[in-house]
Amino acid sequence: MKIAVLGTGMVGQALGTKLLELGHEVRMGSRTKDNEKAIEWTKQNPERASQGDFKEAAAFGDLIINANHGDGAIDALTQAGVENLNEKVLIDVSNPLVFTPDTPPSLFVCNTDSLGERIQKAFPQVKVVKSLNTVSAQIMVNPGLLPEDSNIFLCGNDEKAKDEAKKLLIDFGWKNINDLGDITGSRAMEMYLILWIRLMGQFQSPNFNIKIVK
Ligand SMILES: NC(=O)c1ccc[n+]([C@@H]2O[C@H](COP(=O)([O-])OP(=O)(O)OC[C@H]3O[C@@H](n4cnc5c(N)ncnc54)[C@H](OP(=O)(O)O)[C@@H]3O)[C@@H](O)[C@H]2O)c1
């Protein structure tokens, strides 16, 4: 499958590399055509990897992944162009985190709204599925790094889009996938980040996850 990964950070690189390993063709998108991180990633993965600006990447992908900084997510998708996004599945991995000195991190949208919902409202013809935002980049693509099976979440308004996202999650190694319903489930998935960051500080490591026990 042709997949666009919008974002050049550790998440974009981890997802892009894993998708290549799984046999997909991946184009990494960024704000400029000559993003150094994207060029370097393409050099390291000469087979089936390419890079370009958001528009070029989105035009290439049959499925899109948003792995941008939360604050820049809607701008990045706007640059990608609705004509290159419409009717496609968009897996949104971003978090609306705000880091300010001397105070615990916060979210720029929460409670009665979420970044996942804002993206869906801004691009109504796009099939937004929120997922993977609750674990570190390494765990996203290798849940087996943890000593026990743990849980990953997804939500979105389109059932077929969620099925497509689920297939990728299974290919990444996820066994326990909790569907939280429509895109308003993003509120829960994003607000969990406040606890996640607190735990990461205590563990001094991002490589942990939650396991649902009933
Ligand atoms: N790191 C993790 O383990 C992790 C885990 C779960 C979820 N997430 C979420 O996944 C997303 C990507 O995380 P990340 O750690 O890979 O990197 P990040 O530093 O949060 O985001 C970097 C990417 O965002 C792009 N970007 C686009 N518009 C931007 C803007 N206006 N301001 C700043 N950056 C902008 C950057 O572009 P340039 O290349 O042009 O700088 C870069 O490609 C974030 O939303 C994060 O919250 C991260």
Side-chain angles (χ1 to χ4, degrees):
M1 188 183 217
K2 289 182 172 178
I3 300 182
V5 174
L6 308 183
T8 60
M10 63 169 75
V11 173
Q13 302 225 4
L15 290 171
T17 304
K18 182 70 177 189
L19 290 165
L20 289 174
E21 283 168 19
L22 290 170
H24 298 285
E25 289 178 64
V26 181
R27 183 166 295 174
M28 184 174 277
S30 59
R31 287 180 274 192
T32 54
K33 287 178 194 283
D34 56 355
N35 183 293
E36 280 178 20
K37 286 177 282 180
I39 289 172
E40 187 52 38
W41 176 80
T42 311
K43 270 191 203 154
Q44 283 173 10
N45 299 284
E47 279 184 49
R48 285 176 281 106
S50 58
Q51 65 91 30
D53 61 21
F54 288 131
K55 202 178 262 300
E56 291 166 333
F60 170 86
D62 295 322
L63 180 145
I64 318 278
I65 297 180
N66 173 41
N68 281 294
H69 190 72
D71 209 18
I74 295 205
D75 265 2
L77 293 168
T78 304
Q79 284 173 44
V82 280
E83 68 283 9
N84 296 316
L85 300 172
N86 275 353
E87 310 306 331
K88 293 181 184 172
V89 176
L90 171 85
I91 302 179
D92 174 38
V93 178
S94 66
N95 280 308
L97 282 165
V98 182
F99 292 96
T100 34
D102 306 320
T103 54
S106 58
L107 301 173
F108 64 75
V109 55
C110 61
N111 292 334
T112 55
D113 200 0
S114 62
L115 185 52
E117 286 166 89
R118 284 191 177 179
I119 291 172
Q120 184 63 85
K121 273 183 208 134
F123 303 94
Q125 303 306 318
V126 178
K127 298 163 187 171
V128 181
V129 178
K130 185 100 199 174
S131 194
L132 292 170
N133 68 308
T134 54
V135 289
S136 73
Q138 287 141 297
I139 301 296
M140 279 179 201
V141 294
N142 191 0
L145 274 181
L146 298 174
E148 292 181 41
D149 284 342
S150 57
N151 291 70
I152 197 75
F153 306 101
L154 91 172
C155 69
N157 296 341
D158 188 289
E159 294 303 320
K160 282 189 185 154
K162 285 194 281 192
D163 287 344
E164 209 169 316
K166 254 182 225 166
K167 278 188 207 147
L168 276 186
L169 295 178
I170 291 166
D171 289 346
F172 288 174
W174 289 99
K175 294 178 183 151
N176 303 324
I177 302 169
N178 295 82
D179 183 342
L180 298 182
D182 67 23
I183 195 67
T184 60
S186 300
R187 299 176 194 181
M189 292 167 63
E190 294 172 9
M191 286 195 278
Y192 163 71
L193 259 292
I194 298 301
L195 174 60
W196 186 91
I197 286 172
R198 202 81 183 182
L199 291 170
M200 185 187 74
Q202 287 194 335
F203 302 152
Q204 291 293 297
S205 163
N207 292 335
F208 61 90
N209 193 17
I210 51 174
K211 177 174 180 162
I212 310 290
V213 181
K214 292 191 276 188

